[in-house]
Amino acid sequence: MGKIRQKKIRWERSASPDVINYRLYWSEDGRITYDSNHALVGDVAEIFLPGDLPSFPLIKSTMTLGISALDSAGNESDIATVCVKLDYTVPDA
């Protein structure tokens, strides 16, 4: 397998002191809901894709990404979204 260039995704942390985790969502159809593909990413403000998230799809596509904050009571914020072009395919040798 060839080498895939990592993409850094970052966001501004929530101002709430109760936030203990963030959830990253992704979708190829442009819509993000709480039922979309997602993964908990921890109490961080940036990750590298796909390295920090092995379940992230290794495809070439325009993706919608979403991030939400979770507090210690299990409540989840609204999802902030962005649309990005990603290419995780490698060329033939």
Side-chain angles (χ1 to χ4, degrees):
M1 179 177 188
K3 181 178 177 183
I4 296 172
R5 184 168 182 222
Q6 301 285 316
K7 312 298 192 281
K8 185 191 298 187
I9 306 297
R10 62 181 142 178
W11 54 90
E12 191 171 318
R13 287 182 178 273
S14 169
S16 172
D18 295 331
V19 170
I20 61 168
N21 213 336
Y22 291 90
R23 183 173 283 154
L24 179 73
Y25 291 87
W26 62 90
S27 171
E28 288 182 76
D29 68 10
R31 295 176 306 200
I32 294 284
T33 69
Y34 293 104
D35 295 323
S36 297
N37 291 320
H38 63 273
L40 292 174
V41 296
D43 186 16
V44 297
E46 69 181 32
I47 61 170
F48 286 92
L49 295 176
D52 291 336
L53 195 58
S55 61
F56 196 81
L58 299 178
I59 59 175
K60 179 179 183 177
S61 180
T62 298
M63 303 279 287
T64 301
L65 303 178
I67 193 77
S68 67
L70 292 99
D71 68 14
S72 55
N75 300 312
E76 186 170 0
S77 72
D78 290 334
I79 303 171
T81 61
V82 64
C83 191
V84 295
K85 291 183 181 182
L86 297 174
D87 184 355
Y88 290 120
T89 59
V90 294
D92 293 333

